[in-house]
Amino acid sequence: MVSGDAPQAEGSVRVDVWIWSVRLTKTRAQAAAACRAGHVKVGGDRAKPAQAVRVGDEVRLRHAGRDRVVVVSKIVKKRVGPPVAVECFVDNSPPPPPREIAIQVPVRDRGAGRPTKRDRREMERLQGRSPEKLQGRSPEKLQGRSPEN
């Protein structure tokens, strides 16, 4: 096999390249963006895209609404197929949440316009948020007033 195409036992590779190579992200640009945004941690520390990854490192990735925790078992420099990619890491990720528990976004009919106060309160109730009871006063006005008034 040609060097760089197959899993290697030693050395290091950039974390964004490795995440893309083992198919944790669809593109290398997504992997680099996740690193820059702070969604990738190597050994518990935030990783820049060019940080080196070695065998035995723990990589934590927050991608597509899910936390992935993987331990590097093989170093790859080129993107590999799914059967080989699975051999390159040990997946210690928590199981994904069931679809019923996943956040459901309320959908409004197209062209329905801006929600009324009643609609907004109903949406907040469905999302589990309670509306703040400010009694018609804005938070800025409440901060400027003393409690005795």
Side-chain angles (χ1 to χ4, degrees), residues 1 5-8 18 21-23 73-76 78-89:
M1 289 188 194
D5 291 340
Q8 297 178 354
W18 187 82
S21 297
V22 297
R23 298 178 171 267
S73 59
K74 293 182 184 175
I75 297 294
V76 289
K78 301 280 184 178
R79 191 162 170 97
V80 293
V84 178
V86 172
E87 299 172 0
C88 296
F89 61 88

Side-chain angles (χ1 to χ4, degrees), residues 24 39 60-70 91-97:
L24 293 177
H39 300 299
R60 292 179 174 266
L61 170 68
R62 175 100 177 135
H63 181 67
R66 183 171 175 219
D67 288 326
R68 301 291 305 266
V69 180
V70 297
D91 195 355
N92 296 331
S93 305

Side-chain angles (χ1 to χ4, degrees), residues 71-126:
V71 177
V72 180
S73 59
K74 293 182 184 175
I75 297 294
V76 289
K77 295 182 180 179
K78 301 280 184 178
R79 191 162 170 97
V80 293
V84 178
V86 172
E87 299 172 0
C88 296
F89 61 88
V90 178
D91 195 355
N92 296 331
S93 305
R99 289 186 175 240
E100 298 85 39
I101 297 175
I103 298 172
Q104 296 180 1
V105 178
V107 178
R108 289 184 51 82
D109 294 330
R110 186 174 179 101
R114 183 175 173 175
T116 63
K117 185 181 279 190
R118 182 178 180 184
D119 293 339
R120 180 182 55 80
R121 287 182 176 158
E122 182 67 19
M123 285 188 287
E124 287 176 347
R125 187 184 65 77
L126 290 173

Side-chain angles (χ1 to χ4, degrees), residues 13-18 28 31-37 40 47-53:
V13 68
R14 291 172 54 118
V15 68
D16 61 338
V17 172
W18 187 82
R28 183 170 170 202
C35 291
R36 284 192 299 273
V40 177
K48 292 183 177 180
Q51 181 171 337
V53 173

